[in-house]
Amino acid sequence: MSAATVSVCVPAYQAGRYIADTVSSVLAQTFGDFELVVLDNASTDATPEILRGFADPRLKVLRNDRVLPLAENWNRVVAASSGRFVKVLCADDLLHPDCVRRQYEVLATDPGIALVCSRRDMINEAGEVLAANRGLRGLVGRHEASAVIRKIVRHGGNPLGEPGGALFRREQFDAVGGWDARWTFPMDLALWIGLLGHGDFFGQPESLAAFRIGRDSLSARAQRAEYAEQRALSEGLASDPGWGVRPVDRLVGAAMAPGARLRRQALFLVAKRQGERG
């Protein structure tokens, strides 16, 4: 069997509640030349049984013998894939049917672009939209990597979005060393930054993915840790002379960071309350 052009990689752990919808959203893609690789991280819920219920030659299911740390597991699912282009999709998130096709067209036609991201919808446990067409403010279209880095610093959070909204080249993923275990919460943003060392960025105005926020996503301790990691990552960027970040970018980022954190917390709170009512 020849290698697929695009690999959609899904790391799954205790994903029984949502994995069927996630897999179905990938298998419904209008782009034909893709594979779907799901790595079950030793789940003890219904995840394995649900995955066995799919009979599609594009789907490859793997399973770890033991639970692996986040970065190791995510790197393993990409390593098990064969495509020249890669998308990593969390096991409770969704793709629009045209997502892979639209993003592949960008990368396949312009070798100077290292990363393409779309806007996305934020959804609750029931799949209802909490906030539509989020992200990429000021980043739609093609942008030089250095300009995107300055935007990241000024944003105070992650203006590019989660993995489900992104597509990148496998060769460049391998070149930057994949997912970096030094980071927990901004692990996706750290990868986007590494990839931007290899080319430009392209932002798509359409919402082509959905990021799910569940009631268990909210943790005051995790929120504090996420904020601290995000600030450390941003400060590291600002201190790197290679990116040309200006002092004003750093000042704006420090001022904007609390607001970015509060906006994200607000969505988590809404999802939590809706989940409790349901």
Side-chain angles (χ1 to χ4, degrees), residues 34-95:
F34 76 91
E35 64 174 358
L36 170 57
V37 182
V38 180
L39 176 57
D40 176 7
N41 196 15
S43 298
T44 57
D45 66 353
T47 299
E49 180 182 356
I50 293 170
L51 290 172
R52 284 194 293 270
F54 285 91
D56 192 300
R58 298 169 296 179
L59 172 62
K60 178 168 67 174
V61 178
L62 306 172
R63 180 176 169 86
N64 294 328
D65 295 331
R66 60 182 178 84
V67 177
L68 298 180
L70 184 67
E72 184 178 352
N73 189 51
W74 284 36
N75 282 322
R76 186 177 182 193
V77 70
V78 176
S81 69
S82 62
R84 292 187 294 117
F85 303 95
V86 176
K87 174 183 291 292
V88 173
L89 180 67
C90 293
D92 54 355
D93 294 343
L94 305 172
L95 297 184

Side-chain angles (χ1 to χ4, degrees), residues 186-210:
M187 191 173 74
D188 48 1
L189 184 57
L191 177 62
W192 307 158
I193 292 165
L195 292 172
L196 289 172
H198 291 265
D200 290 344
F201 173 83
F202 192 91
Q204 295 173 304
E206 306 90 353
S207 184
L208 298 176

Side-chain angles (χ1 to χ4, degrees), residues 8 19-36 54 56 58-59 89 94-101 208:
V8 180
I19 190 66
D21 288 341
T22 299
V23 168
S24 295
S25 79
V26 178
L27 295 179
Q29 292 300 297
T30 58
F31 182 81
D33 188 11
F34 76 91
E35 64 174 358
L36 170 57
F54 285 91
D56 192 300
R58 298 169 296 179
L59 172 62
L89 180 67
L94 305 172
L95 297 184
H96 185 281
D98 286 334
C99 181
V100 172
R101 179 182 64 82
L208 298 176

Side-chain angles (χ1 to χ4, degrees), residues 55 113-114 245:
I113 295 175
V245 176

